[in-house]
């Protein structure tokens, strides 16, 4: 009601004052970040507002409050439309896409992954490959395997031909492991074996526990397909790894 009686300049001033007061009172309180984002946006401080909305989203995500996190990421992304696009926009869109995928909102996830890609330069090879790999997962989860494989191919192309020989390219390894799952659903045992053996030595030598976990899951599923779900001793060893 008060704002309805104010002109735009006064509204901006009130939002700025509220943002400053809230910042002083709450400090770095994660629970206040969305409110700070709202007031910074009203004050025209779009980059700061987006940063606060993103922090609110990360906090909600850490609490598994995915619906709230999605809403905050969406607010950050909308606010960045009024700020400077680029790396920040790509990062927020990618994070939003991850949560949309987790929530089963695959079409929305693909839309925001496309936004992330649009904010990246062609020279951003690894970030582009990572987003394409995550977009592939949205197809895979609904058994649209041709589309998933096409996105995995695009991710490999984004990395470039030299990535397979670059021991620093963790993303190349991740793409190979994730691609195994498509071949699992397609019952393409030969393709699974080829991918697993291509990366086995590098992953077993890696200190990335999450990547190793995904690899051993893929290895177990490869063995299950190959052995027609008869549990071999080697499969048990891989499952316990």
């Amino acid at each position: 009601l008060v704002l309805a009686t104010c002109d735009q300049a006064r509204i901006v001033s009130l939002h700025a004052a509220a943002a400053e007061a809230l910042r002083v009172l709450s400090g770095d309180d994660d629970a206040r970040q969305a409110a700070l984002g709202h007031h910074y946006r009203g004050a025209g401080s779009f980059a700061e507002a987006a940063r606060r909305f993103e922090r609110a989203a990360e906090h909600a995500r850490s609490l598994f409050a995915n619906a709230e996190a999605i809403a905050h990421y969406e607010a950050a992304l909308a606010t960045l439309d009024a700020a400077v696009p680029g790396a920040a926009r790509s990062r927020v869109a990618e994070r939003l896409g991850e949560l949309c995928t987790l929530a089963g909102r695959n079409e929305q996830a693909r839309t925001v992954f496309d936004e992330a890609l649009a904010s990246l330069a062609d020279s951003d090879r690894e970030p582009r490959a990572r987003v394409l790999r995550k977009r592939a997962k949205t197809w895979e989860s609904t058994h649209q395997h041709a589309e998933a494989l096409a996105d995995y191919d695009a991710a490999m192309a984004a990395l470039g031909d030299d990535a397979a020989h670059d021991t620093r390219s963790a993303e190349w390894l991740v793409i190979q492991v994730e691609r195994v799952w498509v071949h699992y659903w397609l019952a393409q045992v030969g393709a699974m074996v080829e991918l697993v053996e291509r990366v086995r030595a590098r992953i077993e030598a890696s200190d990335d526990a999450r990547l190793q976990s995904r690899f051993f899951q893929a290895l177990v599923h490869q063995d299950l397909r190959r052995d027609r779900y008869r549990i071999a001793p080697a499969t048990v060893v891989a499952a316990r790894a």
Side-chain angles (χ1 to χ4, degrees):
L1 183 61
V2 172
L3 291 179
T5 66
C6 298
D7 60 24
Q8 186 58 35
R10 178 61 175 157
I11 291 172
V12 169
S13 175
L14 288 171
H15 274 299
E20 180 59 18
L22 192 58
R23 185 191 66 78
V24 171
L25 288 172
S26 64
D28 280 341
D29 184 356
D30 287 328
R32 301 289 187 178
Q33 296 306 308
L36 279 162
H38 168 73
H39 288 300
Y40 278 119
R41 181 173 58 190
S45 299
F46 299 116
E48 182 63 18
R51 188 176 75 84
R52 299 291 183 165
F53 282 131
E54 187 178 0
R55 278 192 58 184
E58 294 293 331
H59 176 59
R61 184 172 183 158
S62 72
L63 300 175
F64 303 99
N66 292 335
E68 290 84 350
I70 286 172
H72 294 322
Y73 279 130
E74 288 175 336
L77 205 56
T79 303
L80 283 168
D81 281 335
V84 179
R89 181 171 180 77
S90 173
R91 182 185 65 249
V92 172
E94 183 178 349
R95 298 289 277 170
L96 174 57
E98 290 171 357
L99 273 186
C100 288
T101 304
L102 185 63
R105 303 183 189 180
N106 291 308
E107 288 190 15
Q108 183 182 0
R110 286 191 287 272
T111 297
V112 293
F113 282 142
D114 288 345
E115 290 186 42
L117 289 168
S119 298
L120 291 168
D122 290 342
S123 58
D124 295 323
R125 299 198 304 172
E126 193 143 327
R128 290 187 68 82
R130 186 178 63 244
V131 173
L132 286 162
R133 185 247 304 165
K134 291 176 182 179
R135 193 176 72 181
K137 211 68 180 172
T138 69
W139 297 115
E140 181 193 325
S141 64
T142 53
H143 298 284
Q144 293 172 272
H145 301 306
E147 291 85 351
L149 288 173
D151 268 349
Y152 284 130
D153 286 342
M156 293 294 292
L159 280 179
D161 295 336
D162 58 334
H165 309 291
D166 185 352
T167 57
R168 298 167 299 175
S169 182
E171 184 59 35
W172 183 86
L173 291 173
V174 175
I175 292 167
Q176 310 311 306
V177 171
E178 294 303 325
R179 190 176 184 129
V180 169
W181 297 93
V182 178
H183 296 299
Y184 169 81
W185 292 114
L186 293 172
Q188 296 172 338
V189 176
M192 294 178 74
V193 171
E194 180 184 349
L195 283 169
V196 165
E197 293 308 316
R198 184 186 301 170
V199 300
R200 182 193 289 269
R202 283 173 59 179
I203 289 180
E204 289 180 344
S206 170
D207 59 0
D208 187 330
R210 182 176 298 181
L211 178 58
Q212 288 185 334
S213 173
R214 289 296 288 170
F215 170 75
F216 283 113
Q217 288 177 50
L219 182 58
V220 167
H221 282 76
Q222 170 209 275
D223 289 351
L224 290 173
R225 277 292 195 199
R226 183 196 61 206
D227 300 333
R228 302 180 72 82
Y229 297 92
R230 292 190 298 271
I231 309 301
T235 303
V236 175
V237 171
R240 290 174 172 170

